[in-house]
Amino acid sequence: MDWPSHGSNPHYLYEAMNLPFPEERIDFSANINPLGPPPILIENWGELLHTVTQYPDPAGRILKKKLSAQEGLQENQVLIGNGGAEIISLIGRVLAGKKAVIVQPAFSEYEEACRVNQCKVQYHQLHADSWDWRNDDLSGKLMNADALFLCNPANPTGVFYPKPVILHLLEECRRNDCFLIVDEAFYDFLPEYESIAHYISKYPNLLIIRSMTKMFAIPGLRLGYLLADSAVIKRVAAFQPHWSTNALALKAGEWCLESESYIKETIRLIERERQRLFYFYQERNLLVSPSSTNFYLLKDPSIQDQLPFLQFLVNRGIVPRHTVNFPGLEGGWLRFAIRGSGDNDRLMEGVDEWISSRR
């Protein structure tokens, strides 16, 4: 089966499974804020029309200034991009021909960006018993590595690795003259996140990738950024085409940074719904990853391959993310975004129907 390589765009999943595309469906495969875009963006959207007649600022200076002030960095330590995906692609160009270690399971685009640039790729595989580190094994892999990719919170597990873990990795990487590339695409869903951006001054080998599309529910606009030492930013930016970020996205990004109450409301919603869902799964003896963010892995332990579970839900218009192309998972789990209470209610109904069907 030709599985789609990403969540969202559920019609690709239905095509791959040779199923009719239902008119009514709930997409749990895309990890987007269930509240939708922040009110400031909705209320002022009409003001953006005039920007489409002008070229955007190729440096995104206004947004860059706001981001650098937010993180306590210099403007030359920030690079704005066409989503986190472009930043990952640009980093791949910098690493061309080098050796990268990827903490797996992980977002597939790290490996894609490395391999298209003829990098040698090695996995550091985490396992479902704890999703925890095996430090001795990782240390050996870093001895000849040029970069270590880590998603934190991790996609697809949702597991968050706290600051002491990151600092340990930073020291390990520095000793081995190795970049530590931390993808924080979902950091802003964490209620007690502590920024590591200020460590860039001490660790010029630290690169932090951020996305604004998940929290602010603007994946169609494509907006992300990189935080790193100014010399690293210069190297990465050398591969970026002019005007890679459009004017609509740049202005939307400025407004989104003003949405503190919306972010707090989102975190409260995700926390409440995650606790409710996890209690439901525990009561039904289903396995769930110890996620701290807005998505999680789910497994029915009575079956090894979760394809029947996936098919059952998809036939009812409930669309999870398959895990066939995640190394170490290979279809043994399903990933779900945390949506609003009504959608989560429908998911729980579908799960109960699945459990009843097996009896």
Side-chain angles (χ1 to χ4, degrees):
M1 187 181 295
D2 185 18
W3 292 99
S5 59
H6 292 275
S8 73
N9 303 119
H11 58 281
Y12 288 121
L13 180 63
Y14 280 88
E15 288 175 8
M17 300 179 73
N18 197 27
L19 294 172
F21 193 52
E23 289 187 10
E24 295 185 8
R25 60 199 173 276
I26 306 174
D27 186 5
F28 287 90
S29 71
N31 307 323
I32 304 300
N33 190 332
L35 293 180
I40 189 172
L41 187 56
I42 297 172
E43 294 164 4
N44 295 286
W45 184 253
E47 295 181 22
L48 298 178
L49 181 60
H50 75 280
T51 66
V52 302
T53 65
Q54 305 167 5
Y55 281 97
D57 179 356
R61 285 172 294 182
I62 297 176
L63 179 56
K64 185 181 294 186
K65 184 175 182 179
K66 290 178 179 288
L67 289 169
S68 61
Q70 174 181 279
E71 298 298 331
L73 298 174
Q74 301 297 315
E75 291 180 41
N76 61 5
Q77 294 175 307
V78 181
L79 178 67
I80 298 171
N82 192 291
E86 186 195 26
I87 299 297
I88 294 167
S89 178
L90 295 174
I91 291 172
R93 296 287 300 277
V94 171
L95 296 175
K98 299 184 182 298
K99 182 178 178 181
V101 177
I102 301 175
V103 178
Q104 294 283 8
F107 186 44
S108 62
E109 290 195 12
Y110 311 144
E111 183 169 357
E112 292 171 8
C114 288
R115 292 202 183 278
V116 78
N117 287 288
Q118 291 76 52
C119 295
K120 295 179 180 179
V121 175
Q122 186 176 13
Y123 296 163
H124 179 68
Q125 190 72 53
L126 305 183
H127 299 288
D129 53 353
S130 64
W131 307 112
D132 207 355
W133 298 94
R134 291 166 288 134
N135 287 323
D136 293 342
D137 189 18
L138 178 59
S139 296
K141 292 171 183 172
L142 292 178
M143 289 179 65
N144 299 308
D146 298 291
L148 172 67
F149 283 86
L150 169 68
C151 189
N152 194 36
N155 181 7
T157 65
V159 173
F160 175 65
Y161 301 102
K163 185 183 292 186
V165 173
I166 303 303
L167 293 178
H168 173 78
L169 290 175
L170 269 172
E171 286 290 349
E172 286 275 321
C173 289
R174 178 163 66 175
R175 281 196 295 269
N176 290 282
D177 193 23
C178 174
F179 286 125
L180 174 60
I181 302 163
V182 184
D183 185 349
E184 293 189 338
F186 302 97
Y187 85 99
D188 37 8
F189 289 93
L190 299 173
E192 297 179 356
Y193 169 79
E194 292 183 79
S195 177
I196 60 171
H198 61 282
Y199 287 103
I200 288 171
S201 60
K202 182 178 179 182
Y203 296 96
N205 61 318
L206 174 61
L207 286 72
I208 302 171
I209 302 170
R210 296 270 183 84
S211 170
M212 298 187 71
T213 63
K214 278 73 173 179
M215 169 56 74
F216 300 109
I218 52 171
L221 283 180
R222 313 306 307 139
L223 185 62
Y225 56 96
L226 173 67
L227 306 175
D229 181 77
S230 59
V232 175
I233 293 291
K234 187 175 181 179
R235 288 178 63 188
V236 175
F239 294 103
Q240 187 177 43
H242 283 292
W243 304 299
S244 74
T245 309
N246 68 74
L248 296 176
L250 290 172
K251 189 60 182 178
E254 295 172 32
W255 287 339
C256 287
L257 292 179
E258 301 172 13
S259 304
E260 291 184 13
S261 61
Y262 160 91
I263 293 173
K264 291 178 181 178
E265 181 183 0
T266 299
I267 291 173
R268 286 194 296 268
L269 169 65
I270 297 300
E271 285 286 290
R272 181 177 69 247
E273 290 300 305
R274 184 173 59 247
Q275 291 178 16
R276 191 165 72 96
L277 285 161
F278 283 19
Y279 177 79
F280 169 85
Y281 296 138
Q282 182 180 10
E283 289 289 295
R284 286 150 183 81
N285 296 314
L286 301 177
L287 300 181
V288 63
S289 62
S291 172
S292 298
T293 189
N294 63 320
F295 56 88
Y296 55 91
L297 290 179
L298 181 68
K299 181 185 184 105
D300 182 345
S302 69
I303 54 175
Q304 183 61 35
D305 186 343
Q306 301 297 298
L307 179 59
F309 190 13
L310 174 65
Q311 290 175 321
F312 185 91
L313 294 175
V314 166
N315 274 317
R316 284 156 179 76
I318 298 170
V319 187
R321 168 69 160 90
H322 72 83
T323 61
V324 172
N325 63 335
F326 285 101
L329 300 183
E330 285 89 25
W333 297 75
L334 301 177
R335 192 194 71 189
F336 293 84
I338 296 176
R339 296 181 58 88
S341 59
D343 289 345
N344 294 330
D345 286 342
R346 180 67 192 98
L347 169 59
M348 290 188 284
E349 291 171 6
V351 170
D352 271 339
E353 291 170 8
W354 160 255
I355 293 173
S356 297
S357 73
R358 295 192 287 104
R359 292 172 180 161

